[in-house]
């Protein structure tokens, strides 16, 4: 491990990789700050451009975008009461009141410090937990992988929004889409209807670009510009020493909440942020001050939503199951680089894994520096006019879809998925479950079929093997918990 | 309150059942496997069956409780601007796709970006649309040619 850490540090501090991380941090913060753009969108758009890079710089760029994007949403949450990302929704509660009191800069500075703390704590936990979990997962057979895949699908409950039923429809539709192409065990085409283009299956990147980016273009075109009061006077951004101590105190606890939530499939930054906010308020000596514009009300959700980043990377790297929508897209990035996430990644490609660990830590430090330097310019960029945003996102979506394989047919796929995603979301059918199912579907099908082959068609193998049985029980418990939670939130 | 049987949830449920039927029937032609449950048709049929059930549940809920269906995004509310603009954007994107082959990537990208900007502007301004589209085109060219060393289609007209 010491050799690997030295190798990892050498990789991330190489000037080209360091600069790439700076670029990624800027892109992530900008995308996070602009309402309508997200870190998921940024990663989806940039994956095709990373294909010409080596795996390490490609992944460092995307990780830096991820970390920056989770913080970036707080900027507009504070200045114009419009969270740049859903994960920053809780930051509005105290961030905007602080801005109205003339403390916008202090609020943003608090958000930045708390985000950095959250990211660093979760990165450290990721570094310590991932290798032993990967070693444990090396013993998995197809039976355990099938159970892991099914457990990963519980993420659908968390990302389904208002209707679990519609989320389930989306997920199963995604599972069906994942069966299109060549059968993984017998060399026969399935549901290609004679099309050569479909024999390789549904192209993942155009699907992601279509669902997240092109559909967003349609939504941006449809939505009239919001009339928002913008707080322009940022003021001083540096908290004083007493304030820093308060931020660290609340940030540490919130970081742990965020990391834990990030490990759970599908439970992303938004859930973490509100949970941390609720806990900070509950445990505060002055809970009545929350919502009036206090530092703790900004620090808690921001530490938690950046705490999700490291937590979500743990199941993604060690088991190949995405922890949230961003890691679902990051999984695609790893696959595009020819890397299969899971325990074998640690065994066969430590030269990629350990730089990812070091990169997660460095990305948060870079984000801190870049964040302080660019607070004022980014506040201006965040109020970019909608018409320019539409054309920028549209053009880069089309180019991204083209760049993946140099085929203009992929562009058509992306547009088609964009239309599908726009229509589905308009009628309440979430698209994130489709993306999750496109990733997990092949894994689940392969594992289930191999398990049945090994057991000569006996289903009992899934409940007689202890790890598989435990995972399936955990699936049922998690699904029931999330369904109940959603019913309570709707009541 | 009069029930509207053809609300979005009912249509969604019907579509789900239709898609499920399509996959179920199509998987009938797939070969069998020595372990029956591990064949190529097994997983698609399980998913198709599940989708049909979920579709039926969605239809059932929407027909029984129309007040819940009305929580769905209001397709019946006509936002005149959106009803016209979004299909136009789709059409423009399809036209863009075909013009790449004819005019080449750079020129078609410029025209696409400029047209999209003009359509999205509340008060169309050709100068600002052209300027911003030029900038986008330059950035695209720099990224592709210098950073990625990738070639872009020149188009039939410019070959």
């Amino acid at each position: 491990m010491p050799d690997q850490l030295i190798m990892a540090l050498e990789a991330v501090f190489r000037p080209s990789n360091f600069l790439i991380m700076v670029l990624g941090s800027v892109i992530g913060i900008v995308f996070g700050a602009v309402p309508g753009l997200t870190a998921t969108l940024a990663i989806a758009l940039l994956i095709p451009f990373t294909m010409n890079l080596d795996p390490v710089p490609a992944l460092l760029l995307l990780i830096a975008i991820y970390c920056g994007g989770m913080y970036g949403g707080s900027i507009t949450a504070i200045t114009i009461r419009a969270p740049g990302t859903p994960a920053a929704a809780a930051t509005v509660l105290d961030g905007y009141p602080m801005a109205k009191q003339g403390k916008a800069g202090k609020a943003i500075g608090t958000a930045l410090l708390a985000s950095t703390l959250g990211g660093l704590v979760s990165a450290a936990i990721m570094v310590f937990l991932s290798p032993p979990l990967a070693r444990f997962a090396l013993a998995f057979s197809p039976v355990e992988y099938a159970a892991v895949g099914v457990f990963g699908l519980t993420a659908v409950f968390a990302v389904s929004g208002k209707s679990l039923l519609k989320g389930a429809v989306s997920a199963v539709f995604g599972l069906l889409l994942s069966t299109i192409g060549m059968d993984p065990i017998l060399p026969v085409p399935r549901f290609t209807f004679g099309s050569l283009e479909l024999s390789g299956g549904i192209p993942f990147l155009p699907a992601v670009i279509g669902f997240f980016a092109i559909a967003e273009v349609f939504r941006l075109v449809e939505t009239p510009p919001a009339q928002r009061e913008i707080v322009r006077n940022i003021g001083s951004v540096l908290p004083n020493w007493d304030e820093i101590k308060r931020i660290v105190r609340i940030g540490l606890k919130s970081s742990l909440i965020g990391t834990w939530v990030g490990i759970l499939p599908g439970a992303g930054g938004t859930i973490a942020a509100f949970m941390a906010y609720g806990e900070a308020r509950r445990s505060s000596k002055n809970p009545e001050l929350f919502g009036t514009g206090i530092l703790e009300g900004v620090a808690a959700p921001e530490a938690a939503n950046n705490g999700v980043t490291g937590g979500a990377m743990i199941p993604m790297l060690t088991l190949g199951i995405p922890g949230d929508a961003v890691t679902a897209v990051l999984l695609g990035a790893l696959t595009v680089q020819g890397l299969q996430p899971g325990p074998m990644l640690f065994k066969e490609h430590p030269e990629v894994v350990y730089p990812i660990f070091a990169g997660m830590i460095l990305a948060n430090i870079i984000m801190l520096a870049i964040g302080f330097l660019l607070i004022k310019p980014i506040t201006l960029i965040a109020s970019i006019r909608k018409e320019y945003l539409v054309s920028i996102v549209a053009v880069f979506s089309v180019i991204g879809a083209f760049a993946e394989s140099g085929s203009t047919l992929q562009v058509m796929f992306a547009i088609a998925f964009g239309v599908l995603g726009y229509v589905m979301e308009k009628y309440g059918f979430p698209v994130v479950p489709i993306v999750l199912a496109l990733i997990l579907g092949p894994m689940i099908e392969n594992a289930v079929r191999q398990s049945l082959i090994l057991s000569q068609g006996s289903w009992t193998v899934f409940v007689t093997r202890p790890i598989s049985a435990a995972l399936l029980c955990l699936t049922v418990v998690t699904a029931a918990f999330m369904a109940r939670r959603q019913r309570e939130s709707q009541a | 309150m009069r029930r509207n049987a053809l609300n979005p949830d009912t249509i969604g449920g019907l579509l789900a059942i239709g898609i499920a039927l399509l996959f179920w029937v199509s998987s009938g032609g797939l070969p069998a496997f020595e372990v029956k449950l591990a064949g190529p048709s097994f997983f698609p049929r399980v998913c198709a069956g599940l989708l049909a059930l979920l579709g039926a549940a969605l239809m059932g809920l929407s027909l029984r409780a129309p007040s819940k269906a009305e929580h769905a995004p209001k397709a019946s509310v006509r936002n005149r601007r959106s009803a016209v603009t979004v299909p136009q954007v789709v059409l423009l994107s399809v036209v863009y796709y075909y013009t790449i082959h004819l005019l080449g990537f750079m020129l078609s990208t410029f025209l696409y970006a400029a047209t999209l900007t003009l359509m999205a502007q509340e008060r169309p301004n050709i100068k600002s649309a052209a300027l911003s589209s030029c900038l986008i085109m330059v950035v695209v060219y720099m990224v592709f040619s210098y950073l990625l060393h990738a070639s872009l289609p020149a188009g039939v007209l410019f070959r």
Side-chain angles (χ1 to χ4, degrees):
Chain A
M1 176 115 158
D3 289 340
Q4 287 153 339
L5 276 173
I6 292 169
M7 170 195 67
L9 288 169
E10 187 271 333
V12 298
F13 280 106
R14 208 171 289 158
S16 56
N17 289 345
F18 189 86
L19 282 173
I20 262 184
M21 292 188 71
V22 170
L23 177 66
S25 199
V26 173
I27 292 172
I29 294 173
V30 169
F31 267 74
V34 179
L37 304 184
T38 60
T40 313
L41 176 58
I43 292 171
L45 285 177
L46 284 169
I47 287 175
F49 296 94
T50 63
M51 279 171 8
N52 284 354
L53 298 173
D54 286 336
V56 169
L59 293 168
L60 290 178
L61 172 69
L62 299 176
I63 284 165
I65 292 172
Y66 184 21
C67 296
M70 294 304 269
Y71 151 66
S74 65
I75 296 175
T76 45
I78 290 164
T79 54
I80 62 172
R81 211 172 162 231
T85 57
T91 309
V92 171
L93 300 172
D94 275 89
Y96 190 66
M98 280 185 75
K100 296 291 278 175
Q101 293 162 22
K103 297 184 213 165
K106 188 133 311 170
I108 296 175
T110 300
L112 182 54
L113 279 171
S115 296
T116 306
L117 181 63
L120 286 172
V121 166
S122 73
I125 293 174
M126 176 189 73
V127 169
F128 284 107
L129 272 189
S130 299
L133 188 54
R135 274 193 296 276
F136 177 66
L138 272 174
F140 282 9
S141 73
V143 178
E144 283 76 30
Y145 273 112
V148 162
V150 170
F151 177 61
L153 278 180
T154 55
V156 168
F157 289 94
V159 301
S160 287
K162 290 183 185 161
S163 172
L164 283 181
L165 183 54
K166 288 182 178 178
V169 168
S170 293
V172 178
F173 175 58
L175 288 175
L176 272 177
L177 287 180
S178 75
T179 62
I180 295 174
M182 295 301 282
D183 182 78
I185 295 179
L186 288 184
V188 291
R190 291 189 302 185
F191 318 115
T192 58
F193 306 107
S195 161
L196 204 62
E197 288 79 19
L198 286 177
S199 59
I202 294 290
F204 181 72
L205 275 180
V208 160
I209 289 171
F211 283 138
F212 290 119
I214 294 182
E216 189 58 35
V217 168
F218 299 146
R219 280 189 285 271
L220 281 172
V221 165
E222 183 181 46
T223 312
Q227 300 301 322
R228 295 197 190 275
E229 193 186 333
I230 301 172
V231 172
R232 295 200 184 275
N233 180 17
I234 300 296
S236 164
V237 300
L238 286 173
N240 61 38
W241 184 239
D242 279 336
E243 288 166 339
I244 290 175
K245 282 196 286 190
R246 283 163 61 192
I247 292 167
V248 170
R249 205 167 27 241
I250 198 74
L252 278 172
K253 186 163 75 167
S254 303
S255 305
L256 292 172
I257 292 174
T259 307
W260 169 242
V261 169
I263 290 173
L264 298 176
T270 314
I271 293 175
F274 277 101
M275 275 179 70
Y277 185 87
E279 174 55 27
R281 186 175 175 172
R282 186 201 65 78
S283 58
S284 168
K285 287 176 193 163
N286 303 296
E288 70 283 358
L289 292 178
F290 277 77
T292 63
I294 59 170
L295 281 181
E296 285 81 355
V298 172
E302 283 299 313
N305 72 28
N306 272 72
V308 159
T309 56
M313 295 285 282
I314 296 172
M316 188 201 88
L317 289 173
T318 59
L319 301 172
I321 57 175
D324 61 7
V326 183
T327 43
V329 181
L330 273 173
L331 256 178
L334 277 164
T335 315
V336 155
Q337 291 287 338
L339 301 166
Q340 188 55 42
M344 293 308 287
L345 185 70
F346 285 71
K347 202 171 171 193
E348 290 170 359
H349 297 284
E351 77 283 359
V352 172
V353 173
Y354 286 92
I356 288 177
F357 288 168
M360 281 289 291
I361 294 170
L362 186 60
N364 283 287
I365 297 169
I366 291 174
M367 179 186 75
L368 180 67
I370 297 288
F372 272 121
L373 284 172
L374 297 181
I375 283 179
K376 288 178 185 175
I378 286 175
T379 311
L380 290 171
I381 291 171
S383 47
I384 185 173
R385 294 175 70 90
K386 187 190 76 173
E387 54 263 28
Y388 303 121
L389 202 57
V390 161
S391 54
I392 290 168
V393 175
V395 167
F396 276 91
S397 301
V398 170
I399 291 169
F402 169 78
E404 195 231 338
S405 61
S407 159
T408 50
L409 187 62
Q410 305 292 323
V411 173
M412 206 52 156
F413 270 121
I415 294 170
F417 281 118
V419 173
L420 178 65
Y422 166 74
V423 172
M424 285 185 71
E425 291 261 341
K426 197 167 172 62
Y427 294 104
F429 290 89
V431 297
V432 175
I434 300 182
V435 175
L436 287 170
L438 280 174
I439 294 167
L440 293 173
M443 175 185 169
I444 295 172
E445 183 186 5
N446 248 343
V448 166
R449 287 170 68 183
Q450 284 177 17
S451 305
L452 290 171
I453 291 169
L454 290 170
S455 67
Q456 291 297 308
S458 167
W459 283 97
T460 57
V461 68
F462 294 106
V463 293
T464 51
R465 289 177 72 99
I467 297 173
S468 167
L471 280 168
L472 290 174
C473 286
L474 190 59
T475 301
V476 172
V477 167
T478 307
F481 172 73
M482 295 215 188
R484 198 183 117 192
R485 199 186 158 84
Q486 206 193 45
R487 224 174 284 129
E488 278 166 9
S489 70
Q490 282 180 348
Chain B
M1 189 186 288
R2 222 178 136 191
R3 288 183 180 189
N4 181 7
L6 278 183
N7 61 62
D9 284 3
T10 315
I11 296 172
L14 270 171
L15 274 172
I17 293 171
I19 290 168
L21 266 173
L22 175 66
F23 275 83
W24 183 279
V25 168
S26 301
S27 56
L30 294 170
F33 192 63
E34 50 194 62
V35 177
K36 191 178 170 192
L37 293 177
S41 63
F42 166 67
F43 190 73
R45 282 198 157 173
V46 166
C47 294
L50 199 49
L51 186 61
L53 278 171
L54 290 169
L58 191 59
M59 278 181 67
L61 273 176
S62 76
L63 290 171
R64 265 183 50 196
S67 59
K68 279 189 185 164
E70 279 157 22
H71 288 311
K74 295 181 176 28
S76 58
V77 173
R78 295 277 174 239
N79 179 335
R80 283 199 174 274
R81 191 159 178 270
S82 70
V84 172
T85 308
V86 172
Q88 281 178 344
V89 173
V90 174
L91 185 63
L92 186 69
S93 302
V94 172
V95 167
Y96 173 43
Y97 163 72
Y98 284 107
T99 56
I100 290 172
H101 296 288
L102 189 64
L103 302 176
F105 210 86
M106 300 310 298
L107 186 55
S108 53
T109 300
F110 170 76
L111 290 171
Y112 178 61
T115 312
L116 207 50
T117 306
L118 278 170
M119 281 169 62
Q121 282 174 328
E122 281 185 47
R123 285 186 207 143
N125 183 327
I126 293 174
K127 199 171 157 189
S128 67
L131 270 170
S132 63
S133 306
C134 264
L135 188 60
I136 292 171
M137 195 177 70
V138 165
V139 168
V140 164
Y141 180 74
M142 299 290 284
V143 167
F144 264 74
S145 296
Y146 292 103
L147 272 179
L148 302 178
H149 304 289
S151 57
L152 296 165
V156 168
L157 288 183
F158 294 101
R159 254 187 230 140

